[in-house]
Amino acid sequence: MTVVRSTLPDAARETAGDALQSTLVDLIGLSLIGKQAHWNIVGPRFRSIHLQLDEVVSTARTFSDTVAERAAALGVSPDGRPETIAAAYTLPGSKNGWIRDDDVVRLIVETLEAAIGRLRERIETTEKADPVTQDLLIGITAELEKQRWMFEAENWPRD
């Protein structure tokens, strides 16, 4: 049942809705990975990376709300339930327990790279189906690339 009627044809709505739902899962998962690392980071760069992780979490949470609202505006019910995220999340995650600062940086770079790669695929998929959704995904990608760059610079020179 669709409560909100979409301005898009059904096939385009489905394409955009699938892209938005997958992005929602990635962003919610990214925010959880960021918080887990935030709580468990140890090492000489604890404070700076601890605070930097909050930026990633805030970005992911803000964009997850924007993505969910875009889906709802298209008549697609967004699903951010814990069981949905747990079943669908496929980006890299952290191990349990304390994590050294260098390892946190590597984890976040790897997770952001994977999310960016998936977003780029969705950008291509939504190009004709819904340029508005595509534009939203482009904006998210740009911000996640910025966050990735900032984290990658933390471990320079490469270890």
Side-chain angles (χ1 to χ4, degrees), residues 11-81:
R13 180 181 58 81
E14 185 175 330
T15 297
D18 289 348
L20 290 165
Q21 179 60 38
S22 296
T23 301
L24 180 62
V25 167
D26 286 354
L27 290 169
I28 291 172
L30 177 61
S31 74
L32 295 172
I33 294 300
K35 265 305 177 189
Q36 182 69 18
H38 172 87
W39 296 324
N40 286 283
I41 186 171
V42 293
R45 295 181 296 156
F46 164 83
R47 180 144 175 83
S48 63
I49 296 172
H50 178 81
L51 295 173
Q52 193 174 355
L53 285 163
D54 271 342
E55 292 178 30
V56 171
V57 170
S58 178
T59 296
R61 287 180 177 169
T62 298
F63 278 131
S64 66
D65 190 51
T66 303
V67 164
E69 289 177 355
R70 176 68 186 154
L74 295 177
V76 176
S77 176
D79 189 353
R81 296 172 299 150

Side-chain angles (χ1 to χ4, degrees), residues 75-113:
V76 176
S77 176
D79 189 353
R81 296 172 299 150
E83 58 270 24
T84 300
I85 305 308
Y89 186 77
T90 60
L91 297 176
S94 66
K95 61 181 179 145
N96 191 25
W98 305 112
I99 310 170
R100 296 244 349 127
D101 50 7
D102 290 345
D103 294 333
V104 167
V105 170
R106 276 191 288 279
L107 168 67
I108 297 302
V109 167
E110 181 181 314
T111 303
L112 287 168
E113 278 181 12

Side-chain angles (χ1 to χ4, degrees), residues 95-144:
K95 61 181 179 145
N96 191 25
W98 305 112
I99 310 170
R100 296 244 349 127
D101 50 7
D102 290 345
D103 294 333
V104 167
V105 170
R106 276 191 288 279
L107 168 67
I108 297 302
V109 167
E110 181 181 314
T111 303
L112 287 168
E113 278 181 12
I116 290 162
R118 291 169 51 101
L119 276 162
R120 289 190 171 280
E121 291 170 7
R122 294 178 199 129
I123 288 167
E124 286 184 37
T125 302
T126 56
E127 180 180 11
K128 290 187 178 167
D130 183 21
V132 176
T133 294
Q134 182 194 43
D135 183 59
L136 173 60
L137 299 177
I138 290 169
I140 294 168
T141 302
E143 182 57 31
L144 293 186

